[in-house]
Amino acid sequence: MAAEGEKRGAMEAEGAVEKGGDVAATSEKGEAASAKGKGVVEAKEVAGGKMVILRSSQPEKKRYEVPEAAARLSMLIGEMLDGDCANDDGIVIPVTARTLDTVVEYCSKHFEATKSNSDPFVAAATKSDPNPSAEASVGGGVNTAASENLEDWDRKLVDRLSMDDLYDVIHAANFLDIKGLLDVVYQRVADMIKGKTPEEIRATFNIANDFTLEEEAELCQQCAWIFDAE
Amino acid sequence: MPPLIYGFMAFQFAISQCCRLCEHHLFDEISLRTDSMAEAPADGLVVSKNVASAACRINALPSHVLSRAISFLDARQLVQTCLLSRRWRHLWRSVPRINASRHEFDGMADSEEERNVLFKKFTNAFLVLRNPVALDEFRLFYFMPDHEESEDPDADSDDANLWIHHALRSNARSVKVKIWDDRLHLDPAVFASKCFLTSLQLSCVMLFDGFFRNLQTGCTALERLLLNDCAIDDVEISSQTLKVFTVDDYSNFTFGEQPSISIPSLSYLAFSASGRIPSLKNMGSLVTASVSVSSGGTQVDDICQFLRSLSGVTNLDFDYAGMLKMEKSLQWCPKFNNLTALTLGEWCLAEDYYALKVFLRNCPNLVKLTLKLKQCNYTSETIIAGLNEGSFACQHIEMLEIVYSKGDPKVLEKLLVEGGITLG
């Protein structure tokens, strides 16, 4: 855990380094908030964006410093920043440090990706897509190597989570309202169900079969149409 | 009988046909479970011993969270979750997404037609039995048989039209349709009634006359329209709400008339359909345009007018595969005062970099120039040397990027140019 903490420390430092340049289009709100001069969180101007302090709540109050635009990928944090809800000590998120590690990694990576994506054509094409994802693109041809690499990165981030970690991230992403991260974790859950028989699915997720034999037979009869393969 | 009413009767018929005991792996699966059963308490509740000891965190997720997680499953697999446990029995009915995929039936039956029959039966039952909750998204992956071998190609498309109509009536915000083999005959009437659609993606679909008109009157919230491999009969394209409109190079306008596109709200346009270059009107909100034009039937005037309509954009990717000689005296290129990023293909280097020079002369605020080349005959040195023939300054250019499109698109050279390019 300590070694992990050190590794995360290095990651924090990476996240804190601003590459400069324009703040991504998605952080319009961030720009507005900066313009209003809200100094409720530590307003360290780092080459184009304020930094925001986040803290985990258990077991230890680990401190994360992230660019405001990255933090605003969470709708909840965005609302808290707008609504003056944070104190100087940063925003306390009721999740473990281990979970917040993953969340912060996701937000930082996606913030960096939108900043460094200098291709205005991709950015324009994927704007206002309610469900953006590589799979969702029905031959639209608007995805590039860059956005596919981000997809791969997302998948790897989530694939290495244990089942317990996965559930924790689901809860955190829901609570923080980070749509992109939710899509990725949900896709992992769906991938773990895909192609499996009910028995295999139960084994994967430790689901107890609490049907009586009569219920099961009745269900089978009602649902014959799924298995109907004449 | 109107197709919609016939379709609903077919639903009911399909259900009555399907209610019989199945003999497939479900029963095998029950016998598996009873083998691992440790206890059978008097009230009939059966619990598998080794499973009860571990926590079941997935069942502890709130219903709306679990519903969203399983909404990523294809429809048939989704319904199968009703067998997992009591908690799961009815979850599938309220999932806010439908992924109806013919691929789930690829391993069954002996022919595509039979597989389609199974898929249609299943999808009809699925749509009827699920709860009428509002849909985030409806996705359809469907097989259309070859029209030339079919007796009635329009009738082949009836079911799909019905399903799409159902999705719109369920307040779907996003619809994605991908067809293979032959094109779906999309019924324009499907879109005529008011709906909440904001994003529509169609792949391998035939769009008849009246499609865009209906889209405008019915889908009053539509912001995204993506057409891929579509045959388009309707040439009048207008909208007050669209922000993103793309037509790819596999699509075509079936009639020789010039298409007309009038979308005052449009922010992003990608157009590479074959056929005559469209007439663009009311492009006042357009920020980014990615267009590819061949000269089939196109006049020089069309190109002049086309570029003039695009003159307000910030980012332009213009590929011209035509044979028309641009008269050197003609003002075919307007001033692009807002343009900061320009992408041109190899065509602009012909005749001693003529077209490239014309563009550069008309883009006073250009920051980034990208050239997409097929051959490796050019490097940044040769290009800048070639541009030295002229005498003009692009003072704001910061980057010259050359992308070779042979094989994998690679950015071979990214030249950061300090202080702009001053030539001559």
Side-chain angles (χ1 to χ4, degrees), chain B residues 376-415:
Chain B
C376 305
N377 292 337
Y378 303 94
T379 60
S380 56
E381 288 88 25
T382 54
I383 287 172
I384 292 185
L387 287 172
N388 265 317
E389 307 290 296
S391 53
F392 51 92
C394 293
Q395 269 145 5
H396 302 282
I397 285 194
E398 285 169 15
M399 192 192 296
L400 168 64
E401 184 181 73
I402 303 179
V403 181
Y404 293 99
S405 61
K406 223 178 177 98
D408 289 323
K410 283 187 291 188
V411 179
L412 227 69
E413 289 196 60
K414 259 190 183 180
L415 194 76

Side-chain angles (χ1 to χ4, degrees), chain A residues 118-122 124-133 135-142 163-165 167-168 170-171 174 179 182-184 186-187 189-191 193-199 201-203 205-230, chain B residues 18-22 24-27 29-30 33-34 44-46 51 54-59 61-62 65 68-70 72-73 76-77 79-80 82-86 88-89 92 97 108 118 121-122 125-126 129 137 139 173-174 176-178 198-199 201 203 223-224 228 244 268 288-290 315-317 341 343 368:
Chain A
S118 55
D119 190 339
F121 299 100
V122 172
T126 51
K127 203 169 96 164
S128 71
D129 184 347
N131 298 302
S133 77
E135 280 188 35
S137 168
V138 184
V142 294
M163 290 294 290
D164 270 337
D165 289 339
Y167 292 122
D168 286 338
I170 290 176
H171 279 295
N174 257 296
K179 187 180 192 303
L182 277 173
D183 283 348
V184 180
Y186 287 157
Q187 185 64 58
V189 172
D191 288 345
I193 295 176
K194 212 186 289 197
K196 294 195 168 99
T197 65
E199 187 60 43
I201 300 171
R202 287 199 202 99
F205 294 97
N206 289 333
I207 299 172
N209 185 343
D210 51 1
F211 288 124
T212 63
L213 280 173
E214 293 81 19
E215 282 176 331
E216 198 142 15
E218 185 197 337
L219 200 59
C220 165
Q221 189 175 2
Q222 285 176 358
C223 293
W225 55 281
I226 333 166
F227 305 101
D228 192 358
E230 330 175 49
Chain B
C18 288
C19 278
R20 60 168 217 264
L21 279 172
C22 64
H24 302 282
H25 59 264
L26 180 59
F27 276 104
E29 188 264 330
I30 290 180
R33 186 179 57 76
T34 50
L45 186 68
V46 177
V51 162
C56 182
R57 289 194 65 184
I58 197 168
N59 279 4
L61 291 174
V65 172
R68 283 191 184 271
I70 60 178
F72 282 70
L73 294 171
R76 189 172 186 271
Q77 178 95 65
V79 178
Q80 281 184 335
C82 73
L83 301 166
L84 291 175
S85 80
R86 281 181 178 160
W88 289 76
R89 183 165 178 173
W92 68 272
R97 266 200 211 187
M108 307 179 190
L118 292 173
K121 243 192 202 173
F122 167 81
F126 176 78
L129 292 175
E137 183 166 90
R139 267 196 243 173
R173 288 190 297 118
S174 166
K176 287 171 181 161
V177 176
K178 183 166 182 172
T198 63
S199 172
Q201 268 181 244
S203 182
E223 291 184 357
R224 270 167 69 86
N228 166 246
V244 174
Y268 175 75
T288 305
S290 181
N315 312 298
L316 176 65
D317 181 338
T343 302
K368 180 182 173 194

Side-chain angles (χ1 to χ4, degrees), chain B residues 50 60 75 88 176 187 196 229 234 241 278 293-294 299 421-422:
Chain B
N50 55 334
W88 289 76
K176 287 171 181 161
D187 183 358
F196 291 85
D229 195 4
D234 197 349
T241 56
V293 170
S294 58
Q299 315 296 323
I421 299 176
T422 310

